[in-house]
Amino acid sequence: MNSATEAEIWPDLPYAQWRDACATLQLWTQIVGKIRLSLTPWLNHSWHVTLYVTSRGLGTSPIPFDCRSFEISFDFIDHKLRMETSDGQQSEHPLRPQSVSEFYFAVLEGLAELGIDVRINQWPNEVPQRIRFSADKTHIAYDPEYAHRFWRILLQADRVLKLFRTGFTGKCSPVHFFWGSFDLAVTRFSGRRAPLHPGGVPNLPDEVAREAYSHEVSSAGFWPGGAPLEFPAFYSYAYPEPAGFRETVIRPDAAFYSEELREFVLPYDAVRAATSPEETLLAFLQSSYDAAAACGNWDRKALECLPGRIGVPTRPGFPPN
């Protein structure tokens, strides 16, 4: 694979260049995510609120509404927000520089045209300084080039995380996108209860955080950046963090433990620059999970299997490699 093609598959995403656009896009995804939240029964660990990577961007998957269903999707190729119903109706809104307030009212008006009346909590979550969606005229940036690059990275991260997920037969989340923290994630569970989470996540009810971390987890994903990391990165953490976890040597050499975040971090640029980005990322995911499972005394023989292959039923295997 030549360097030009590799650069398209794993594009550059300097956080400083699209910081404002990234902040605006996060708030737009929160509006869409809260629509799903407001109409969907609670599923363990808030799995009912997430978005999913699609062949054109991010989408909600079908949301029930009376006897119909509808979907909302961000198209980062044509740069449109699409709202589509199960009875064939459609509404679109362009993705362009616009305030969060304008976007908020446009989405609700578009849904109303489709016969969908919905109300959401207008306060953003997991951001330090909040402005009600309907009043937010501060966040107005949108950069189609960087939104497109972000989605292309999500495509690759989604693919590799799904491959990594196949090596686990225990309880495991889908690979999904959390609009609150603005990251793509997959989470493995040991099967044991965890101690009560202390809460304290900025602008997130403690009861939500405690339900999300009710059981022991090893979680990994991709984040485009933001304080305290001013660069895009892959991450991996364990809750509760077992003794010895942070001292474990993780692959590749570019990975490190962040004392502030209390998780292992692998800068995206280290993956992008690698001879094999996929193998480099898989090494990080596997070695950081190994650290969580070994230090946490997980029942690995019962939870793990050989990595999945197309057309081949899952086979037990420990260690998986």
Side-chain angles (χ1 to χ4, degrees):
M1 184 177 293
N2 62 54
S3 59
T5 304
E6 195 76 74
E8 292 174 359
I9 294 175
W10 299 91
D12 191 19
L13 192 71
Y15 178 70
Q17 297 300 311
W18 80 302
R19 182 193 312 270
D20 292 342
C22 183
T24 301
L25 183 58
Q26 179 177 6
L27 294 169
W28 291 356
T29 63
Q30 292 210 11
I31 291 169
V32 171
K34 281 173 177 277
I35 291 170
R36 186 178 182 211
L37 167 64
S38 70
L39 296 172
T40 308
W42 198 279
L43 180 62
N44 51 265
H45 316 299
S46 297
W47 293 355
H48 63 301
V49 309
T50 57
L51 304 180
Y52 304 94
V53 177
T54 72
S55 59
R56 301 184 70 91
L58 286 167
T60 59
S61 76
I63 301 171
F65 185 80
D66 293 334
C67 295
R68 298 186 294 158
S69 290
F70 70 98
E71 294 184 56
I72 307 177
S73 58
F74 290 87
D75 182 335
F76 296 130
I77 296 177
D78 289 338
H79 300 285
K80 295 179 179 179
L81 185 82
R82 291 194 172 91
M83 294 163 275
E84 302 172 291
T85 68
S86 56
D87 54 4
Q89 298 183 71
Q90 299 182 23
S91 180
E92 292 185 347
H93 181 71
L95 300 179
R96 52 170 172 72
Q98 62 195 286
S99 69
V100 169
S101 175
E102 179 182 349
F103 182 86
Y104 167 77
F105 285 114
V107 172
L108 294 188
E109 289 170 7
L111 289 175
E113 292 172 2
L114 303 177
I116 298 168
D117 181 29
V118 61
R119 298 290 182 271
I120 67 172
N121 183 322
Q122 290 192 41
W123 291 104
N125 296 113
E126 299 185 63
V127 295
Q129 297 179 339
R130 300 198 298 174
I131 307 172
R132 288 174 65 93
F133 297 138
S134 60
D136 188 347
K137 299 179 190 269
T138 300
H139 297 93
I140 61 174
Y142 182 74
D143 189 315
E145 172 62 26
Y146 280 104
H148 184 80
R149 293 187 193 187
F150 176 50
W151 162 68
R152 293 199 67 85
I153 296 170
L154 290 178
L155 274 180
Q156 300 310 312
D158 183 72
R159 175 179 63 84
V160 177
L161 288 170
K162 284 176 177 174
L163 177 58
F164 171 66
R165 186 178 186 267
T166 65
F168 198 76
T169 57
K171 176 180 173 180
C172 187
S173 78
V175 178
H176 46 194
F177 187 87
F178 283 98
W179 38 264
S181 47
F182 207 57
D183 64 317
L184 188 71
V186 65
T187 303
R188 294 176 171 188
F189 293 77
S190 75
R192 298 188 298 245
R193 296 284 301 189
L196 185 68
H197 192 277
V201 179
N203 295 311
L204 183 72
D206 286 347
E207 63 179 351
V208 175
R210 287 168 178 160
E211 194 273 340
Y213 291 103
S214 60
H215 291 70
E216 293 179 349
V217 301
S218 172
S219 189
F222 171 77
W223 186 44
L229 291 184
E230 296 298 307
F231 54 85
F234 293 94
Y235 65 84
S236 181
Y237 64 88
Y239 179 81
E241 183 180 311
F245 176 71
R246 65 182 63 193
E247 289 83 22
T248 306
V249 176
I250 302 301
R251 303 189 309 273
D253 291 343
F256 64 93
Y257 185 86
S258 167
E259 293 287 348
E260 187 167 7
L261 294 174
R262 291 182 294 179
E263 59 191 30
F264 286 106
V265 171
L266 175 63
Y268 167 70
D269 284 349
V271 174
R272 179 172 177 264
T275 302
S276 174
E278 178 178 321
E279 291 180 6
T280 299
L281 177 52
L282 283 172
F284 173 72
L285 297 171
Q286 187 63 48
S287 62
S288 57
Y289 161 72
D290 287 343
C295 294
N297 295 313
W298 287 28
D299 185 357
R300 302 183 69 178
K301 289 183 179 180
L303 297 171
E304 298 175 16
C305 62
L306 296 172
R309 295 167 55 196
I310 295 173
V312 179
T314 294
R315 295 174 295 163
F318 176 82
N321 295 321

